Amino acid sequence: MWFRKKHNPEEHRYYLLPGQGKSNRRKRQQQLVAAIIVGIIAAAIIGTTMWFMNGPR
């Protein structure tokens, strides 16, 4: 008992909240890239459709 290490409450003071880890940042980065790619493809499809519909007949 006398040689037992004293409990240090400051030892585990800092912790990450859910969503602050590296894996979550990587997942959000992948989702952002996927959203940008899907947005570019959708804009191209809509733009091409409008171009063909308003073209000369």
Side-chain angles (χ1 to χ4, degrees):
M1 274 196 191
W2 292 346
F3 301 108
R4 198 170 92 180
K5 193 167 125 179
K6 291 191 177 190
H7 178 65
N8 185 2
E10 296 294 319
E11 185 176 347
H12 299 289
R13 181 174 181 181
Y14 300 104
Y15 57 91
L16 294 176
L17 295 171
Q20 289 182 327
K22 282 185 181 179
S23 62
N24 194 356
R25 274 185 245 135
R26 185 171 42 246
K27 183 175 119 182
R28 286 187 183 273
Q29 183 70 26
Q30 289 174 350
Q31 288 175 342
L32 176 66
V33 170
I36 290 172
I37 291 171
V38 169
I40 290 171
I41 291 171
I45 291 171
I46 292 170
T48 304
T49 304
M50 290 173 65
W51 185 70
F52 277 122
M53 290 179 83
N54 291 324
R57 294 179 192 237

